[in-house]
Amino acid sequence: QVQLVESGGGLVQAGGSLRLSCAASGGTFSRYDMGWFRQAPGEERKFVATITWSHNTYYADSVKGRFTISRDNAKNMVYLQMNNLKPEDTAVYYCARGPYYSDSMISAPASYEYWGQGTQVTVSS
């Protein structure tokens, strides 16, 4: 059974940084794309970033240059380093497991099969 557990959220001032972590268990982690999504109150869940099995990375335009996604296959971990945070980054952030052996930018939530419980990120102005 696949499980994803996020951690690292919190309250930070605008301009600050946070690093989110996602611990994965079950399945062959290294062969799957992994993604981060976020959902603000009253809004739909939105794509933030994805890292493919081959370590290619793709980002939403709103976070390019500020966020960095990475993975450590030896530890079954995915990370999201978030710098220069803005109040509009406030949301619940979710880690998700994407397609098997894809090497494309997959941004649709429906393409991700397994999800974590989410971690709250709040950026104050």
Side-chain angles (χ1 to χ4, degrees):
Q1 183 177 0
V2 175
Q3 285 193 315
L4 303 172
V5 180
E6 303 97 334
S7 61
L11 173 64
V12 64
Q13 288 188 329
S17 298
L18 282 174
R19 188 194 196 203
L20 305 184
S21 299
C22 173
S25 60
T28 308
F29 175 78
S30 63
R31 300 178 184 176
Y32 290 88
D33 294 1
M34 297 296 296
W36 285 97
F37 291 76
R38 65 187 181 186
Q39 188 168 17
E43 297 185 8
E44 62 184 17
R45 195 166 296 187
K46 296 179 181 177
F47 170 76
V48 174
T50 187
I51 183 165
T52 71
W53 66 273
S54 61
H55 293 248
N56 287 330
T57 57
Y58 303 92
Y59 299 92
D61 287 344
S62 58
V63 307
K64 276 180 184 176
R66 300 188 298 122
F67 291 11
T68 302
I69 188 171
S70 61
R71 65 191 298 163
D72 184 338
N73 289 340
K75 297 181 179 179
N76 285 6
M77 296 290 294
V78 182
Y79 305 99
L80 186 68
Q81 177 66 44
M82 305 185 295
N83 297 330
N84 190 23
L85 282 159
K86 304 176 180 180
E88 52 264 42
D89 294 318
T90 295
V92 177
Y93 283 70
Y94 297 91
C95 171
R97 195 185 82 173
Y100 180 81
Y101 271 146
S102 167
D103 213 17
S104 304
M105 177 178 172
I106 308 294
S107 60
S111 297
Y112 290 75
E113 184 176 7
Y114 294 98
W115 295 81
Q117 82 289 348
T119 186
Q120 176 71 46
V121 172
T122 303
V123 185
S124 63
S125 57

